[in-house]
Structure formats: C-alpha cells, structure tokens
Amino acid sequence: IALVEKIIAKDGSKNYLRRLLGYCYTDTKDYDKGLQIMQDYFKIVDPEKIIARDFIYFGKLQLNSSKDTAAAIANFHKAMEKDTAEWELNEEIGNLYYAQKNYCGAAQHYQIWIDSLGTEAKSVSIYKLGFCYYFCKDDTMRYQHALEQFIKVTEMNPDAGIGYLWAGKSAAKLDVEVDSTAASIAQFGKAVPYFEKYAQLADPVKNKKDLIDAYSYLVYYHYIRKEDTITREIIAKILALDPANPTALELQKALDATPPPGGNK
C-alpha cells in the first residue's frame, strides 16, 4: 500500500495501480479508503480493461463500507457476466438475499449454486434452499419445490430429524382440504411418513414444540379414518408433552363421547 500510494501520488495515470490499492485496502479491512479508491478507479478505467475481480472487490467494499447491498449484488452479477468461472458468487448473492428475507431471490441463486456443485453439494446448503422455497410466496409450486429439497436432506442425513420435519411441513401444505367425503379423507396424509420418522428421531425436550406439531397432524390423520386405538395412543403422547393441549383434549373428549361400534381398530 505504501509503495503504490507513492507511485500514484507522482503519476496518477497508472490507473491499474488504483485497482491494486483498492484490493489491498479490502484485504486489510480499510473499507472506507478502499471504496473511495475503487470509485475513482471505475470513473477513469477503460471499460474494456475491467476484469471480473474488479466488480467483486467493489461489491465487497460496498457491503462493508457503505452497506449498499443492492449495489454489491449488482456488481457480483457483473462479475459473473464477465467471467462465468465466478459462479460461486451465486452463494454470496443467495446469502445476501437470505439475510434480507428475500427468499425467492435467495432460492434462485442457491439453486444455481447447488446445481453447479453437483454431487459436492452439502446437505446444509440443500436444507437452506428448501427453506427458501418454502417461504417464497412468488413461487406457485413452492411447497413442492421445498419438499423435493428436504427429501434430499433426509436421504443425505437419514438419522437427522430436521429434514423429516420440514419435509412433513412442506408435504402437509400439499394436502387437500378435508371434508366428510371418503375421497378427501383418502387423499389426506402426504406428510404422514415424514412426521412419523421425525417423531422417532426428535428429542422430546429439545424438540417439544415441533414434536407436538407432528403428533397433531398424525392424530388428525388417524382420527378422520376412525382408527381410534392409534388416535388414543397419539393423544397420550401429546398430553405427556403438553397436558393442557386443546387439540388432544378435544379429540379425547370426542372419542369418549362416541365409542366406536364393533370394537376399536
């Protein structure tokens, strides 16, 4: 930095050294100076001489100095347009959108990034993609897309409950509206295998709330099918976790009021 500053002070025409100085200030975390240098650099530089890394460093400085996320994202896009080898910036852009709760934007870039990784993609990244799809209101198939990702998580980590939990949440959103018809009852239950597996893996202390939610879905599934014995078993599990649970108490009251003819199933 000291050497380059001396050269620029004597000869300001060597603009490529401003680039170097901007990079150095970024790496030494002197972001305000770096941003000023890169702003000067972009005012002077011949557009044909701009390289992808210029946009990357400019974006990093905008994030850390002026906190201009939108401008940084724009520069990261320019870097990828300049050099497709910089595709990993999709993760960075995804993270920035995720922090803003722009889940649709995050999902788009996480998907590109994960597709580029192929078999090297880690389950935590796929989980985050599924989470973004789940909350992306602009995607009319968001729950289906989320389910596909969470199923991958369960396949990669079959002993971890989190994938099954969110696969269940996503699948439940794909269920039909249940009425008194046999057809709707038969179609309801897309989340059953995921919540059943989650219930086997979940810690009743650490995962109490999510476990109650999973049991609440399962108890309703068996109740509408008049599978009273199983329904009572799940009610007992819910009440063991939450003795005042209104759903469990209401179902227990309904079962006690109308004992099934011909014995339990």
Side-chain angles (χ1 to χ4, degrees):
I1 289 174
L3 181 59
V4 173
E5 284 182 334
K6 288 179 182 179
I7 297 172
I8 290 177
K10 291 182 178 180
D11 185 358
S13 67
K14 299 184 184 298
N15 198 43
Y16 64 90
L17 290 178
R18 286 188 178 84
R19 163 199 285 157
L20 176 59
L21 195 57
Y23 289 9
C24 289
Y25 278 135
T26 306
D27 294 340
T28 58
K29 299 185 178 359
D30 198 340
Y31 300 122
D32 292 340
K33 285 185 179 180
L35 181 61
Q36 184 60 57
I37 287 290
M38 289 304 289
Q39 286 173 335
D40 292 342
Y41 168 76
F42 273 95
K43 289 176 184 177
I44 303 171
V45 67
D46 182 340
E48 293 184 359
K49 293 183 178 180
I50 297 175
I51 60 176
R53 188 162 292 187
D54 294 343
F55 291 118
I56 295 173
Y57 272 88
F58 197 15
K60 288 180 179 179
L61 289 164
Q62 289 167 323
L63 284 175
N64 289 286
S65 177
S66 60
K67 312 300 181 185
D68 193 341
T69 302
I73 289 174
N75 274 314
F76 291 155
H77 275 292
K78 291 175 183 177
M80 290 190 292
E81 290 169 4
K82 199 79 174 177
D83 184 357
T84 56
E86 300 291 350
W87 58 268
E88 289 189 350
L89 284 169
N90 280 295
E91 180 191 15
E92 178 72 14
I93 296 172
N95 289 339
L96 293 171
Y97 279 135
Y98 187 89
Q100 294 178 329
K101 296 186 178 180
N102 180 349
Y103 296 117
C104 296
Q108 177 186 351
H109 288 280
Y110 282 148
Q111 185 70 72
I112 296 171
W113 175 58
I114 288 170
D115 287 346
S116 299
L117 287 173
T119 57
E120 295 180 6
K122 298 185 184 301
S123 62
V124 65
S125 304
I126 297 172
Y127 167 80
K128 188 176 280 190
L129 173 60
F131 187 86
C132 289
Y133 274 131
Y134 187 91
F135 289 103
C136 175
K137 295 181 180 180
D138 294 341
D139 185 352
T140 58
M141 294 183 64
R142 60 177 170 148
Y143 298 121
Q144 180 61 45
H145 290 152
L147 177 59
E148 292 168 359
Q149 301 307 317
F150 291 130
I151 288 174
K152 293 178 184 177
V153 174
T154 66
E155 292 169 347
M156 298 173 77
N157 292 283
D159 296 326
I162 191 70
Y164 297 103
L165 173 65
W166 280 94
K169 287 176 179 282
S170 302
K173 294 292 188 180
L174 299 172
D175 271 324
V176 298
E177 189 76 25
V178 178
D179 52 34
S180 59
T181 63
S184 71
I185 292 173
Q187 291 177 51
F188 179 84
K190 288 181 171 62
V192 167
Y194 308 113
F195 281 145
E196 285 182 336
K197 186 65 176 178
Y198 178 71
Q200 294 173 16
L201 297 170
D203 185 308
V205 177
K206 294 179 180 179
N207 309 123
K208 178 180 174 179
K209 181 182 181 301
D210 289 328
L211 189 53
I212 290 173
D213 289 343
Y215 279 143
S216 296
Y217 179 95
L218 293 171
V219 77
Y220 180 68
Y221 170 82
H222 292 290
Y223 176 75
I224 62 175
R225 283 167 170 72
K226 303 186 185 303
E227 297 170 350
D228 297 350
T229 300
I230 301 175
T231 302
R232 288 184 184 276
E233 290 173 356
I234 300 175
I235 288 173
K237 291 177 180 179
I238 295 174
L239 292 177
L241 294 168
D242 179 13
N245 185 272
T247 300
L249 291 174
E250 189 67 28
L251 289 177
Q252 183 170 266
K253 182 179 178 181
L255 290 176
D256 291 342
T258 55
N264 292 344
K265 291 186 180 180

